Amino acid sequence: MKQKIVILHNEILTDHPDQLDVIHQRDLVKAACERLNFDVNCLTVGPDLMADIEKVKAENPQVVFNLVEDLWSLGELIYVVPAMLNAYKLPYTGVPLDALFTTTNKVLAKKWMKFHGLPTAAFYAMDELDRLNKNKTYIAKPIWEEASVGITADFIFKPGEKDTFEKIKQLPATHYFVEEFIDGREFNVSLLTNKGKVEVLPPAEMIFSTYFDDKPKIVGYKAKWDDQSEEYKQTNRTFETLQHEDSLRENLIRVCEDSWKAFNLKGYVRIDFRVDAHNNICILEINGNPCISPDSGFIAAIQKAGYSIDAMIGRILADLN
């Protein structure tokens, strides 16, 4: 008899590309699970959360493949569905509840990094802006949103830029914080569970073309999601730049492994880094359950490592909460 899997994702309430992308992820997971000989049913969570979770429970699945990225289009509620699955004792894939809550709240995540000695840039609450160094550059970021939502060059500033600084000061303290901007190279490193441990997949560097010579080099919302924008077209991923930089590659891998342990990570994760001119590493974000649509960075890393989609899904299904 086939094992039953419920693939669970959030209901799509907008036509924004970062929301629609979950459909591509669902289709990829569904096809792989069917090839792995599972009985698959796809369900969503939406306005009536209790009823939707009851539907999942009624399926009596051996596994819930958790693809929920938000709730009611609010990214800061991403942890609510895993909390309910946990409460109902329904086994689910990916990052566990405690780690998902911690990593999704960027300020809490950075405090946890500091506690564990993991490298990250200096950061400040909105009521601490008087502590900023007038000679340094900073970026204001949303505390909760993922998928580069709310990340724009407009929020990069120096305290001496009076007009911009005044706008930054008006941002709500409950939803924004300020981080020192590291003007350097950017790396995305994907992590995949491997028999209870972690395998760090080949690191990818984001290459910014000459288009960015007079602009901040960031992977903002447009660069990630708007395929008609110059930011998207002029930002490219490569796995080739660390071939002759053994020390930097090993340091990235070590920090990934340490982060996996410190945050109690499972399943699949992507960690984004900035590296300054002296090769000092800073963690930007730890992304639990990152995008696994066919054109995602995670899938590119899986392919670079020589693994099939089915092998990846099989590993994730073997590391349940």
Side-chain angles (χ1 to χ4, degrees), residues 76-87:
E76 62 194 80
L77 298 180
I78 189 173
Y79 66 89
V80 171
V81 170
M84 296 194 71
L85 295 174
N86 188 70

Side-chain angles (χ1 to χ4, degrees), residues 180-187 205 245 248 273-282:
E180 184 177 341
F181 180 70
I182 307 300
D183 187 12
R185 301 164 71 183
E186 182 156 333
F187 291 88
E205 181 170 5
E245 296 185 73
L248 177 55
F273 293 92
R274 279 280 178 159
V275 177
D276 69 15
H278 305 289
N279 273 0
N280 296 310
I281 293 171
C282 279

